[in-house]
Amino acid sequence: MFNRSRRNLASWFTLSMGSILVIFAGILYYQESVQQLEVVDLILYKKSRVITSSIKYKDYQGEKRVFLKNLPVLGNNPPPDDSDIIYARWYDPDGNLKRYFGLLTQKKLTRNFSYQTLKIPNKSDLASPETWVREITLPVQHQGELIGYLQMAMPMTRVHEILNKFLILLISTVFIALAITSLTGWFLSGIAMQPIQLSYKQLERFTAHASHELRTPLAAILSNAQVGLLAPMEDSHSKHLRLEKVAEVAKSMNTLIGNLLFLARRTGRLTPESLKEVDLRDLLAELFNSPSVKTAAKDLNLQNDLPKSPIMVKVDADLICLAVMNLLGNACKYTPAGGMVELRLFSRYNQAFIEVEDNGIGIAAAHLPHIFEQFYRVEQHQTNSASGFGLGLAIAQQIIEAHGGYLSVKSEQGKGSVFQIKLPL
């Protein structure tokens, strides 16, 4: 599934980038074509101006006449071989052809200044029977009077050669870029799939753990119910004992399902409407003196170090109490009788710090990176309480992150642990 998704991502990335490259290459080719055509037009225009500047227009036997004998190309002297002029024609003001050099076609004269690209037959070269030429038609005036038209053409062979080389370069570049893009797309899609794979594995592990945790109490309920049914009708004590066990296991299941629902619903950051400004000092003092904390720490030395001045933060008070209660509950659970558990609060650098420290059994370094994972439980053999579901720290971390805070832990096996909550002020 992940390989198929990765291939699809890489394919779409390559297709989108390939389309952009092809469009960009097309624009470059068009710009180069226009530029080459402008160069040919400029050369044609300059050569035409050189020819027309040599035209003699003067009186001859009482009338104005144009003398073309001394003109370059059209005059009596043939043009040099490297002139690149296919043909040159001179028309009078009425459009009648008067003199020409090179090919002569039956094409009608256009009486406006214009450039045209034409295809003419090439009789001297059977391998390429047609030649593309660029033609200019230039009206010629003398002192404001139209005296004729000069029409001249140059071959576009060189332009085609330049454009063909440029096209081959563009195609090669596009193919090389597509190959690099496809490799990059495959690499990037692999990076993009990593969080999805991680989430999928976490979901898979969460589902397996939740199923396992739910199946155990369900089996206990079924077993107790069956044993209770097998007891004689008059043995009410045995039935009552079985019902008490069923109720106890059902209560445990209810707690587990409540924790699972909490983890499923409380995702992402909290909305601003759910946050209220509270004094953390008063909130933690109330929690510290609550019966649940006193009960959990009945055999321990429970202390607090709360500041004298208030520390105001915008939080969901119930959720913060739940997170701190989970940390205090764990500290009391994994601290032997007579040990110390301390709750501290202070502020520094625009942050509020809540610390829960104990001198209990501590956590081995190998377990520290995993203790905030759901259903992760450290096998401890010296606890003074029954093990839980492994969701308390995951819930605490999710609550703190939902407030934009950070939960961390420092622990050393045999010496105790310090859990620290950072909350923005």
Side-chain angles (χ1 to χ4, degrees):
M1 178 180 69
F2 293 109
N3 285 334
R4 187 173 67 240
S5 300
R6 186 179 181 181
R7 282 197 299 272
N8 289 337
L9 280 175
S11 301
W12 280 108
F13 180 77
T14 305
L15 182 62
S16 58
M17 291 299 297
S19 302
I20 294 172
L21 284 173
V22 169
I23 293 172
F24 183 68
I27 294 173
L28 281 182
Y29 183 78
Y30 173 76
Q31 291 292 338
E32 181 67 18
S33 303
V34 171
Q35 188 175 359
Q36 290 296 330
L37 208 56
E38 287 177 352
V39 170
V40 173
D41 290 347
L42 182 61
I43 294 173
L44 263 177
Y45 181 76
K46 286 184 176 179
K47 288 188 175 182
S48 302
R49 295 299 299 175
V50 169
I51 294 174
T52 56
S53 63
S54 302
I55 293 176
K56 303 294 183 183
Y57 183 64
K58 55 186 180 180
D59 290 334
Y60 180 76
Q61 295 180 351
E63 62 175 330
K64 291 280 189 179
R65 292 186 59 181
V66 175
F67 293 89
L68 305 173
K69 292 182 181 179
N70 298 322
L71 290 183
V73 182
L74 288 174
N76 294 331
N77 298 322
D81 295 336
D82 58 350
S83 64
D84 283 342
I85 297 176
I86 297 295
Y87 59 81
R89 301 162 189 160
W90 177 261
Y91 297 87
D92 65 11
D94 295 327
N96 300 315
L97 181 64
K98 293 299 183 181
R99 199 176 183 89
Y100 71 95
F101 162 77
L103 296 174
L104 181 61
T105 61
Q106 300 299 323
K107 181 175 171 292
K108 187 178 179 181
L109 174 67
T110 302
R111 301 193 180 195
N112 295 317
F113 177 78
S114 62
Y115 291 100
Q116 283 185 303
T117 301
L118 303 172
K119 184 170 62 176
I120 62 174
N122 189 2
K123 297 180 180 177
S124 61
D125 190 356
L126 295 178
S128 56
E130 296 174 340
T131 301
W132 288 93
V133 299
R134 187 69 171 171
E135 179 190 87
I136 182 174
T137 301
L138 179 67
V140 182
Q141 294 182 345
H142 179 77
Q143 296 180 350
E145 180 184 357
L146 180 66
I147 59 175
Y149 299 92
L150 175 65
Q151 195 173 64
M152 193 168 66
M154 288 180 61
M156 298 189 66
T157 308
R158 190 174 179 182
V159 173
H160 285 166
E161 289 176 355
I162 293 174
L163 290 179
N164 287 337
K165 289 180 181 177
F166 187 63
L167 182 61
I168 292 172
L169 177 64
L170 283 178
I171 292 173
S172 304
T173 305
V174 167
F175 274 111
I176 293 172
L178 278 177
I180 296 174
T181 301
S182 61
L183 292 175
T184 306
W186 179 257
F187 175 72
L188 292 179
S189 59
I191 295 177
M193 291 299 295
Q194 287 178 358
I196 300 174
Q197 284 183 298
L198 181 61
S199 298
Y200 181 80
K201 289 179 180 177
Q202 288 178 344
L203 179 62
E204 202 173 38
R205 188 165 56 245
F206 175 82
T207 305
H209 288 156
S211 302
H212 175 74
E213 296 294 342
L214 288 172
R215 192 171 60 179
T216 302
L218 280 175
I221 290 174
L222 182 61
S223 173
N224 281 284
Q226 289 173 339
V227 172
L229 289 174
L230 291 175
M233 293 295 292
E234 61 276 8
D235 189 1
S236 60
H237 176 72
S238 177
K239 291 180 179 295
H240 182 74
L241 184 62
R242 295 297 170 185
L243 285 175
E244 282 184 344
K245 289 185 177 179
V246 169
E248 182 182 348
V249 175
K251 184 180 178 182
S252 175
M253 277 187 62
N254 186 51
T255 302
L256 173 59
I257 292 172
N259 289 339
L260 292 177
L261 285 174
F262 182 91
L263 288 170
R265 291 173 178 172
R266 300 280 182 174
T267 57
R269 296 290 296 270
L270 296 173
T271 59
E273 295 78 16
S274 63
L275 304 178
K276 293 181 180 178
E277 190 166 274
V278 297
D279 183 358
L280 270 183
R281 181 190 59 174
D282 294 341
L283 186 68
L284 294 184
E286 184 179 351
L287 177 65
F288 184 81
N289 295 313
S290 64
S292 56
V293 174
K294 297 294 184 186
T295 302
K298 60 180 180 181
D299 298 323
L300 303 173
N301 179 20
L302 185 63
Q303 303 175 5
N304 71 67
D305 182 11
L306 303 179
K308 295 181 179 178
S309 56
I311 297 179
M312 307 302 295
V313 292
K314 293 190 74 171
V315 295
D316 185 319
D318 293 336
L319 292 180
I320 292 297
C321 282
L322 177 59
V324 177
M325 186 61 212
N326 284 350
L327 299 182
L328 284 172
N330 272 357
C332 294
K333 185 185 299 182
Y334 296 112
T335 301
M340 180 274 298
V341 173
E342 184 176 6
L343 174 64
R344 290 192 292 268
L345 172 64
F346 56 94
S347 63
R348 188 183 300 160
Y349 307 121
N350 290 324
Q351 286 184 315
F353 293 83
I354 303 172
E355 289 184 348
V356 176
E357 182 176 2
D358 65 77
N359 59 355
I361 60 176
I363 305 170
H367 296 296
L368 283 177
H370 308 287
I371 61 171
F372 294 114
E373 295 177 4
Q374 296 166 2
F375 293 109
Y376 189 84
R377 285 174 291 193
V378 180
E379 294 295 333
Q380 305 284 7
H381 302 289
Q382 300 175 355
T383 58
N384 59 356
S385 176
S387 60
F389 295 111
L391 295 175
L393 290 180
I395 290 175
Q397 186 189 45
Q398 191 161 320
I399 290 173
I400 300 306
E401 289 181 350
H403 285 81
Y406 182 71
L407 174 60
S408 61
V409 59
K410 293 180 182 176
S411 185
E412 189 173 349
Q413 196 167 20
K415 294 185 178 180
S417 306
V418 180
F419 285 85
Q420 186 184 72
I421 295 173
K422 291 182 185 176
L423 289 173
L425 291 177

